[in-house]
Amino acid sequence: MTALAAAGGSAVVQAAGTDAWTGLRRRVAEIFGRGDSTRAAAELERLEATAQTLLPATSGAGDAASLRLRQEGVWAGRFEALLEGLDEEDRERTVTELRELVAFATATAGDAAFATGTAVAQEGGSAVTGVKNTGPGRRGPARAAYTGDAEATGAGSSAVTGIVNDNR
């Protein structure tokens, strides 16, 4: 149960700010709401507060990793407390729902890069600090925050910070 709760907390944080967020937050609200629209609405507010906390504009780059870890822990604790407070039948149903939530998040997560270092390219080389998708088609959403600086020196050099989709 603890590992599943931790995976649920990670799923919430990973999805915040991505294309998967709307679907995931609805599912989380349903899990916690247990058919009560007032409780579900309260969960939606908590989820939005989490998403706002994780926005790049609300914190400095040095805080990004610790904020993400803290929010993962908060949600893992909430999932664990929920599971512990249910009778066996409701717990089994909720475990199934939580596993489906984690599978949904995993399938839609795409790539993410946070608080990366500096990309330095020299002498015709290339460097990326963030996410680089190569080949035809995209694997899913990508998210980059607090990526480092990019520095390219010399003819033919390129350095990028953020997300690069190279479909060649």
Side-chain angles (χ1 to χ4, degrees):
M1 242 182 0
T2 301
L4 182 58
S10 180
V12 168
V13 172
Q14 292 296 327
T18 70
D19 296 338
W21 181 241
T22 300
L24 185 123
R25 66 188 273 279
R26 179 187 51 78
R27 288 177 180 216
V28 171
E30 289 171 358
I31 289 171
F32 280 99
R34 315 288 330 134
D36 181 327
S37 61
T38 302
R39 282 193 302 202
E43 291 308 318
L44 288 172
E45 288 180 22
R46 283 186 186 95
L47 288 158
E48 284 310 306
T50 295
Q52 291 300 312
T53 298
L54 296 171
L55 281 176
T58 62
S59 65
D63 296 330
S66 62
L67 280 173
R68 293 178 60 75
L69 287 173
R70 183 178 185 290
Q71 289 300 314
E72 284 180 11
V74 166
W75 283 99
R78 297 201 73 241
F79 282 120
E80 191 167 6
L82 172 68
L83 292 171
E84 288 174 353
L86 297 173
D87 63 37
E88 189 172 334
E89 182 180 331
D90 284 339
R91 184 178 308 118
E92 287 178 24
R93 184 173 41 254
T94 303
V95 162
T96 299
E97 292 170 351
L98 189 50
R99 283 186 179 132
E100 290 170 357
L101 174 88
V102 170
F104 170 79
T106 301
T108 59
D111 296 315
F114 297 93
T116 62
T118 302
V120 177
Q122 300 172 347
E123 313 275 332
S126 66
V128 175
T129 179
V131 175
K132 181 176 182 179
N133 293 317
T134 59
R138 242 175 114 211
R139 294 181 300 207
R143 182 174 178 206
Y146 309 114
T147 54
D149 296 328
E151 178 184 323
T153 57
S157 298
S158 69
V160 178
T161 182
I163 299 170
V164 176
N165 290 310
D166 184 358
N167 294 326
R168 290 184 265 164

